Amino acid sequence: AESEREEPDVEGVFGAGIKRDEDLPLLLGEGTYTDDISLPGMTYLAIKRSDHAHARIVDIDTSEAESKADVVAVYTGDDVEASGVPNTIPTAWDLPGLVQPQYRMLAIDKVRHEGDGVAAVVAETPQAAHEARKRIHVEYEELEAVTDPVTAVERDIPQIHEESDDNIAFDFELGDADAVNESFSAADRTASVTLRQPRLIPNAIEPRAAVADWNDSTQKLRLWMTSQNPHLHRMLLSAGTLGIPENNIRVIAPEVGGGFGSKIYHYPDEAITAWCSMQLGRPVKWRASRSEGYLTDCHGRDHVTDAEIAIDNDGTIQGVRVETHAGLGAHLSQFGTATPSYLYATVLSGQYTIPAIHCRVIGAFTTTTPVDAYRGAGRAEGIYVIERLMDVAARELGMDPTEIRRKNLIPADEFPYESAAALVYDSGEYERAMETALEHVDYETLREQQQTLREEGRYLGIGVANFIESAGLSPSGLAGQLGAQAGGWESSIVRFDSTGSVTVLAGTADQGQGHRTTYAQIAAEELGISVDDVEVVEGDTDRIPQGMGTYGSRSASVGGGSIARGARDVREKARRIAAHQLEASVDDIEFEDGEFYVAGASDRSLHIQAIAHEAYLGHDLPEEMDPGLEATNFYDPENFTYPFGTHVAVVEIDPETGAITIERYVAVDDCGEIINPTIVEGQVHGGIAQGIGAALYEGAAYDEDGHLQTRRMDEYAVPHATYLPDFETDSTVTPSPHNPIGVKGVGESATIAAAPAVVAAVTDALEPFDVDHLDMPVTPETVWRAMEEE
Ligand code: MCN
């Protein structure tokens, strides 16, 4: 049974910067996205949306729309309710005292944000559906709008939901208020900052879309959709919205063109697409336009925060106190309660030893698009707060911003480290990453240069941001204690086919992260085969029985951890077959580069791919062993992973115009063991771009009546490549002890770090003008006005 296969080149499969396997078909335009799905007899859905931020629905007249050519049906919220389905878009994260108003597929009685769905029109063509939508006449009685989370709870404004008379959804506290009060009394000084983190609109290249196909005779639903977590969508659709048994729903996420969080959520739109298909017994397609996406894709951030820090004269931090009003928008999105509470407050210790922390978050309903996790989710907001506090504290003390940071860093020998904000960090070498970043920019020389330039009337600014991230969102037990209505585990199947190729079926769902490549690297490494022999499949609930999906930078650690464990189980079964066929004891069988051999007799060997063939023949297996060579794995890690790093931005301000030029951007990231350095670098590049976007350009704007002002791509400033500098990236490697492959997440890291680094650089440049803080987006106008005021 000698293997005659060519030796695969398996050296360094894990850790190799190989090219992304998924890219070629995508670059050639051969990818199949949801909107590419076309079914016989398919109809098209358009959703009539509210033009008002807050209004009572007096009457909906659908008769003219119904009379139009090619219109199949027009439905209102009352029709949906009358159909008897549960009609709930449920939240997936509970908090103590949470107010949970009913959220339906189409509004009944009232609309609560511009873009709330009020009617659905299905037609034979997309054009007919869009034309008919204009012929649905809705009579409204307008109510007052409120877009700001502070105003929403402080002023005597109309109630948005019957269930909450003060527009408060939750009042959340974390940490020890008494200890913080004591630390503030005992410390030498305090410093504070009030800051706003504006609403961000996610800008996935592919808008959301769905194709639903209900089969009346089998009572089964197939739903193609732009999903980051098809299994979660299946569960929420089943129990909460449509009342179809979960095993009669198949959710398929084909290629997904970006998400950044926005495709995690169970929106009314995909659900109503499915409901329409159930009514008609015909396939129905819905696709958002870009502007429709701006009105309905969950936005991110929207925080107004008062933050204070207690410090001793030598720079030692004694305590941090934070109070935030978080705008939740008009409805509770699935994780819209978790993002501004646990995901935010728990990272307020950042990289520092802070003995006492207290955070209060008031979650406020406003008459705006719902807010939920957007890349960095909660952690970005929290790190921004602590990093701004570090800078204002440094100013207060007349210390260099790097000195105060260095002084308070959690030392490398203190891990696992339990922070006063209730997290236990897995591992870290913060000083190493920070010093590496500072060396890259030659920090001391840069400071000297800054002085010289200032004398010439030129304003250079250096911003340093240290970050941690709690990535992975597991284990399930912890997630459950915090209120999650979903598990924190991940699942996969690693399956050898009888000819020696391997299929990995993973419960996560890629939107551009490169899972097909990195998962193949993990499996290939564990099995000693070439990545070319591994096929990775995601995004189909009928092929992959269970999963939790892709968000919270969890796929490498939790999904990858599951695949590594499954591959190891497969390898161990193969080892037993090898021992049997080589007539040796299992303990004497060694494994290297895919080859099992008898210790001390390397000529007696069997390749794992040849064993796969034997496993499916089943002719000569150990007694009581079942045929086949595959493993199903459920993996629930012990803890989150805690990626970290230091980013440095160097900017120059033009004193005439306030224009900001980023001269250099250095990122040192530590995401533990690196599966694929090219992919990690790509993730860091994308993350920096989004962080810089938040710092300098982006921000959703509403007018007084609650109308979104930034509703198109030429009104909402996503940074162009030409706005961005060359990124200089580097990494340190501190493995996580909490998963079998030592990895930490990286998908959100750079977004978390970039915003505080850039804002710090701008305020550093403006030190001579006594500007401590400027709110994002820091535009030339803000800078110019701040300089003028001084
Ligand atoms: N990786 C690696 N080595 C590590 C860590 C990660 O090689 N030590 C690889 C992973 O195998 C994966 C990629 O880097 O291919 C990102 O891994 P991970 O950090 O686990 O993040 P997820 O795959 O779970 O992706 C989610 C994360 C989030 S939360 C957002 S938001 C985000 C992001 O990823 N949205 C993205 N990156 C994005 N990238 C693209 N192109 N599009 C999006 O919408």
Side-chain angles (χ1 to χ4, degrees):
E2 258 314 315
S3 161
E4 292 194 4
R5 296 188 80 261
E6 260 186 30
E7 274 288 301
D9 176 15
V10 293
E11 269 307 297
V13 165
F14 186 110
I18 56 173
K19 283 193 179 152
R20 287 163 42 111
D21 186 44
E22 38 273 90
D23 284 353
L24 188 61
L26 299 182
L27 292 170
L28 294 175
E30 291 168 358
T32 302
Y33 293 83
T34 299
D35 195 40
D36 295 320
I37 304 293
S38 191
L39 301 176
M42 193 162 76
T43 58
Y44 298 85
L45 165 69
I47 298 171
K48 173 80 177 171
R49 300 188 179 279
S50 165
D51 311 314
H52 299 290
H54 197 194
R56 211 169 298 288
I57 301 172
V58 178
D59 182 52
I60 305 178
D61 181 358
T62 57
S63 53
E64 192 189 345
E66 275 160 6
S67 70
K68 290 281 159 197
D70 285 339
V71 168
V72 179
V74 184
Y75 302 108
T76 65
D78 286 334
D79 297 325
V80 181
E81 194 71 1
S83 73
V85 298
N87 195 17
T88 299
I89 305 293
T91 47
W93 202 293
D94 205 4
L95 289 178
L98 178 68
V99 176
Q100 291 196 52
Q102 172 108 27
Y103 185 16
R104 297 183 176 86
M105 284 186 266
L106 291 175
I108 295 179
D109 301 334
K110 238 179 122 174
V111 289
R112 295 178 172 85
H113 72 94
E114 188 188 14
D116 241 353
V118 288
V121 45
V122 183
E124 299 291 350
T125 65
Q127 294 76 9
H130 290 128
E131 278 307 310
R133 176 171 56 183
K134 294 182 201 154
R135 311 288 168 217
I136 299 172
H137 305 290
V138 189
E139 193 188 323
Y140 292 105
E141 177 197 323
E142 249 192 278
L143 300 168
E144 199 182 334
V146 60
T147 60
D148 175 74
V150 179
T151 321
V153 300
E154 279 181 357
R155 200 159 53 90
D156 187 23
I157 53 122
Q159 235 170 291
I160 300 168
H161 292 282
E162 269 169 32
E163 294 84 345
S164 169
D165 56 13
D166 50 9
N167 292 331
I168 293 180
F170 61 82
D171 191 340
F172 170 89
E173 278 190 70
L174 187 107
D176 187 338
D178 293 337
V180 169
N181 291 342
E182 278 168 33
S183 75
F184 273 72
S185 315
D188 295 334
R189 289 159 189 244
T190 64
S192 67
V193 64
T194 295
L195 46 90
R196 264 175 191 271
Q197 302 196 55
R199 257 172 196 265
L200 300 177
I201 301 182
N203 270 279
I205 289 179
E206 180 204 21
R208 280 190 296 124
V211 175
D213 183 24
W214 170 257
N215 185 317
D216 244 341
S217 45
T218 61
Q219 297 282 296
K220 285 186 193 289
L221 173 71
R222 287 189 300 170
L223 180 64
W224 287 262
M225 64 183 287
T226 47
S227 171
Q228 296 183 216
N229 33 224
H231 296 87
L232 195 61
H233 277 125
R234 180 179 66 172
M235 179 181 87
L236 294 171
L237 274 166
S238 163
T241 316
L242 298 176
I244 306 169
E246 202 172 335
N247 58 1
N248 279 359
I249 303 177
R250 177 179 183 186
V251 175
I252 306 157
E255 295 295 352
V256 178
F260 310 115
S262 68
K263 291 171 182 167
I264 300 173
Y265 318 116
H266 176 43
Y267 294 91
D269 315 308
E270 291 83 345
I272 195 74
T273 311
W275 181 87
C276 287
S277 179
M278 289 168 73
Q279 303 310 300
L280 299 168
R282 291 179 65 181
V284 179
K285 177 186 276 189
W286 169 78
R287 190 194 70 180
S289 67
R290 177 67 54 186
S291 297
E292 202 174 7
Y294 273 23
L295 283 175
T296 60
D297 293 355
C298 283
H299 294 176
R301 321 289 194 247
D302 201 18
H303 280 202
V304 181
T305 297
D306 289 313
E308 296 169 276
I309 188 164
I311 27 166
D312 286 339
N313 287 333
D314 67 354
T316 308
I317 309 172
Q318 295 297 352
V320 163
R321 185 190 283 141
V322 173
E323 181 166 318
T324 292
H325 284 75
L328 306 175
H331 305 284
L332 295 182
S333 171
Q334 272 70 65
F335 299 110
T337 49
T339 301
S341 59
Y342 283 110
L343 294 184
Y344 168 64
T346 52
V347 300
L348 284 168
S349 199
Q351 292 194 357
Y352 313 109
T353 46
I354 304 179
I357 296 177
H358 182 258
C359 177
R360 177 180 179 206
V361 183
I362 296 153
F365 290 115
T366 56
T367 56
T368 59
T369 301
V371 179
D372 206 324
Y374 167 72
R375 199 173 195 174
R379 286 76 38 88
E381 295 90 312
I383 293 300
Y384 185 73
V385 169
I386 184 65
E387 287 304 285
R388 293 311 300 134
L389 279 177
M390 294 306 280
D391 286 332
V392 294
R395 278 278 169 96
E396 168 67 29
L397 295 167
M399 257 175 127
D400 185 279
T402 59
E403 199 187 329
I404 188 169
R405 285 178 166 80
R406 200 175 281 119
K407 179 153 192 79
N408 291 284
L409 287 179
I410 299 164
D413 58 7
E414 291 223 2
F415 289 87
Y417 177 81
E418 187 171 353
S419 90
L423 288 180
V424 181
Y425 299 177
D426 57 352
S427 60
E429 281 196 64
Y430 299 157
E431 191 162 1
R432 178 160 66 130
M434 182 171 151
E435 298 307 341
T436 307
L438 296 181
E439 269 166 39
H440 272 285
V441 292
D442 194 356
Y443 188 74
E444 298 306 327
T445 314
L446 207 53
R447 281 281 172 216
E448 286 162 19
Q449 203 186 336
Q450 181 184 41
Q451 275 313 322
T452 319
L453 288 174
R454 272 186 194 169
E455 282 150 27
E456 296 166 20
R458 288 178 60 188
Y459 298 97
L460 195 75
I462 310 155
V464 177
N466 287 338
F467 77 96
I468 61 125
E469 180 191 344
S470 50
L473 282 180
S474 42
S476 303
L478 176 61
Q481 278 168 28
L482 304 184
Q485 306 293 306
W489 48 264
E490 197 41 80
S491 181
S492 64
I493 295 174
V494 174
R495 174 185 296 149
F496 260 109
D497 311 314
S498 63
T499 53
S501 53
V502 168
T503 306
V504 172
L505 300 128
T508 49
D510 182 279
Q511 319 107 57
Q513 290 87 352
H515 294 173
R516 257 167 268 173
T517 307
T518 47
Y519 285 176
Q521 288 179 267
I522 295 169
E525 172 83 20
E526 298 292 340
L527 300 171
I529 59 175
S530 161
V531 280
D532 296 337
D533 288 338
V534 185
E535 179 67 20
V536 176
V537 179
E538 289 184 313
D540 183 340
T541 59
D542 265 16
R543 290 194 72 187
I544 305 131
Q546 292 298 342
M548 277 295 155
T550 288
Y551 48 83
S553 302
R554 67 190 300 274
S555 304
S557 58
V558 194
S562 172
I563 292 163
R565 283 164 41 114
R568 287 172 195 178
D569 288 347
V570 164
R571 191 177 66 207
E572 290 321 301
K573 182 171 179 184
R575 189 193 302 274
R576 289 199 286 138
I577 299 172
H580 172 76
Q581 296 201 350
L582 294 169
E583 295 175 343
S585 124
V586 176
D587 295 339
D588 289 340
I589 299 293
E590 311 255 318
F591 181 71
E592 204 181 323
D593 289 352
E595 206 76 45
F596 290 103
Y597 58 92
V598 183
S602 57
D603 55 327
R604 289 172 64 204
S605 73
L606 267 173
H607 195 271
I608 193 165
Q609 287 169 307
I611 292 176
H613 189 63
E614 295 290 329
Y616 286 98
L617 285 177
H619 296 168
D620 185 18
L621 299 179
E623 219 170 297
E624 292 183 13
M625 179 185 275
D626 296 327
L629 193 54
E630 68 169 55
T632 299
N633 184 272
F634 277 78
Y635 173 51
D636 205 349
E638 300 166 38
N639 194 355
F640 294 166
T641 66
Y642 295 85
F644 62 90
T646 298
H647 287 206
V648 184
V650 182
V651 304
E652 187 168 353
I653 305 282
D654 179 343
E656 293 290 311
T657 61
I660 304 155
T661 312
I662 302 178
E663 297 290 344
R664 286 187 71 183
Y665 194 98
V666 168
V668 176
D669 280 270
D670 193 318
C671 59
E673 299 289 355
I674 295 171
I675 305 163
N676 183 322
T678 310
I679 285 182
V680 163
E681 198 182 358
Q683 288 293 311
V684 170
H685 280 202
I688 298 171
Q690 276 175 307
I692 292 178
L696 300 183
Y697 306 109
E698 298 183 40
Y702 284 94
D703 71 10
E704 269 188 8
D705 298 326
H707 292 118
L708 185 66
Q709 300 297 289
T710 46
R711 51 201 304 140
R712 306 190 328 200
M713 273 195 136
D714 57 359
E715 294 166 347
Y716 182 88
V718 176
H720 299 187
T722 51
Y723 299 6
L724 302 170
D726 278 344
F727 303 140
E728 302 164 55
T729 58
D730 197 353
S731 54
T732 58
V733 175
T734 312
S736 173
H738 290 147
N739 62 71
I741 47 179
V743 302
K744 302 184 177 199
V746 77
E748 295 163 285
S749 296
T751 310
I752 296 172
V758 171
V759 173
V762 175
T763 51
D764 184 64
L766 298 178
E767 194 195 357
F769 300 87
D770 248 356
V771 176
D772 277 353
H773 174 71
L774 290 175
D775 274 333
M776 300 185 284
V778 185
T779 62
E781 182 183 343
T782 349
V783 170
W784 182 82
R785 284 189 190 283
M787 292 169 97
E788 284 295 298
E789 266 169 34
E790 197 42 40

